[in-house]
Amino acid sequence: MTLTPTAVDLPDLELRAGGQFGLYIHVPFCFTRCGYCDFNTYTPAELGGTNPDSWVAAVTVELELAAARLGAPTVSTVFLGGGTPSLLGETRLVRVMDAVRANFTLAPDAEITTESNPESTSPEFFEVIRAAGFTRVSLGMQSVSPKVLAVLERIHSPGRPVAAAREARAAGFEHLNIDLIYGTPGETDDDLARSVDAALEAGVDHVSAYGLIVEPGTALARRVRKGELPAPDPDVLAHRYELVDAALRAAGMDWYEVSNWSRPGGQCRHNLGYWGGGQWWGAGPGAHGYIGDLRLWNIKHPNAYSELLGKRLLPVTGFEKLSDADRHTEDVMLRLRMRDGLPLSLLDAGERERAEVAVADGLVFSDGARLVLTDHGRLLADAVVRSVLG
């Protein structure tokens, strides 16, 4: 039995004054699914109805409907993520941005980012999207070690991300990010060092590095459960984080969020919007947004998503209203992970007392106005947040 997808009746959507507004656009397509990934993605064999062209048509309608509900606010950042946005090809990515411009006003200095799999890019790809106004590219490298890529089930060749970054730079992109994953079973310190060196050799101005997490329901989780692979070791993850941090700092990059480093001016403004309490509309299957005091999320399956938009219905199938306590928890959790730190003025008396304990333990330091994680504290960021909140 096939159930007809339904959308929820949303309350009035009112943007909070001040701060930046962004668009996140979720592209659900992947050529294959990596073993560690639990994102809302689908391979061609899993989709009987939706294809890249029908997805572009559907997301165009969603952008039109969203702009009408929000009053067409000025957009500071656009981020196409996934999934593998570069699988759409340059022509469809340009069509998506045409739809953004047709329905919203882009700020003159808008940051426009697309994630890309190095294997689905080319010099022409980068030249076309740069000419269409994209300002930033994020490339998935993860590692240059063939054995690590095999465990992660990544399909790109070890040298392709560096070549892709150089092609993007030649096309005029000033802002380039490379993603790394550390702590994969079988990875050595040398594997990680060579991966960091390759990212720096590629000439990027931003690196994101994440410790491997074994997400429930993934192929990697099944292999770990069966004993085919060991689970990531927390002590190894901490050691590898320190290796990444030392190498990037030595090359002139500094951390601005626990898992992100950049050269001056290379920070991802879209992500800063997430971490700093900004607002955004999430378009595409399964995308989440944050408007006013509401968290909203779209229906996950691309076919159901397209069906709702074919009826000119916003594909939002759930929302929650954040209380003052919810927003406070998020502020502490996100701002304490950032280099700029957490304003002490946001904390109540009990939280300040617990923060003093964290200072005494060497996990954070205070300049009298803000709390900032120490190098050791970054290794325990989540625990520090929990201790301060109580």
Side-chain angles (χ1 to χ4, degrees), residues 272-306:
L272 285 172
Y274 291 155
W275 302 324
Q279 300 170 92
W280 69 94
W281 183 270
H288 286 229
Y290 182 30
I291 304 294
D293 57 3
L294 295 181
R295 295 282 188 198
L296 345 161
W297 51 90
N298 282 352
I299 197 165
K300 292 183 71 173
H301 200 281
N303 294 346
Y305 169 82
S306 295

Side-chain angles (χ1 to χ4, degrees), residues 141-345:
M141 173 187 281
Q142 319 314 346
S143 176
V144 296
S145 166
K147 65 184 179 185
V148 171
L149 293 175
V151 171
L152 296 175
E153 299 182 54
R154 295 285 297 182
I155 63 171
H156 67 74
S157 59
R160 177 58 196 157
V162 172
R166 289 172 173 163
E167 291 166 2
R169 182 72 72 192
F173 280 95
E174 295 180 10
H175 300 302
L176 295 171
N177 175 63
I178 273 182
D179 283 344
L180 297 174
I181 289 179
Y182 57 87
T184 301
E187 178 192 63
T188 65
D189 287 356
D190 184 61
D191 290 329
L192 180 59
R194 288 189 294 108
S195 297
V196 175
D197 287 346
L200 294 170
E201 179 189 349
V204 301
D205 65 345
H206 190 290
V207 172
S208 301
Y210 305 101
L212 180 65
I213 297 175
V214 180
E215 299 287 0
T218 61
L220 179 62
R222 290 190 289 273
R223 295 184 68 187
V224 170
R225 186 176 64 250
K226 292 177 181 178
E228 297 175 8
L229 293 170
D233 183 317
D235 291 334
V236 171
L237 289 173
H239 172 62
R240 298 270 163 76
Y241 180 90
E242 291 174 329
L243 292 180
V244 171
D245 184 53
L248 293 178
R249 283 184 166 186
M253 289 193 184
D254 208 349
W255 75 284
Y256 71 100
E257 192 273 344
V258 167
S259 298
N260 291 272
W261 293 256
S262 76
R263 301 191 189 282
Q267 297 92 334
C268 176
R269 288 167 45 204
H270 186 84
N271 286 343
L272 285 172
Y274 291 155
W275 302 324
Q279 300 170 92
W280 69 94
W281 183 270
H288 286 229
Y290 182 30
I291 304 294
D293 57 3
L294 295 181
R295 295 282 188 198
L296 345 161
W297 51 90
N298 282 352
I299 197 165
K300 292 183 71 173
H301 200 281
N303 294 346
Y305 169 82
S306 295
E307 184 177 338
L308 286 173
L309 285 160
K311 301 173 183 176
R312 296 192 63 80
L313 296 172
L314 277 174
V316 178
T317 54
F319 67 89
E320 62 176 339
K321 184 173 183 177
L322 299 187
S323 65
D324 289 344
D326 293 331
R327 289 196 297 272
H328 175 72
T329 296
E330 289 199 357
D331 274 345
V332 173
M333 178 179 66
L334 295 173
R335 295 189 183 205
L336 195 51
R337 292 178 60 88
M338 297 173 66
R339 179 63 179 263
D340 288 345
L342 171 69
L344 283 168
S345 60

Side-chain angles (χ1 to χ4, degrees), residues 23 73-78 97 100-101 104-110 112:
L23 291 173
T74 297
V75 175
S76 298
T77 64
V78 181
M97 283 310 304
V100 170
R101 291 187 176 92
F104 293 88
T105 299
L106 280 178
D109 63 344
I112 304 172

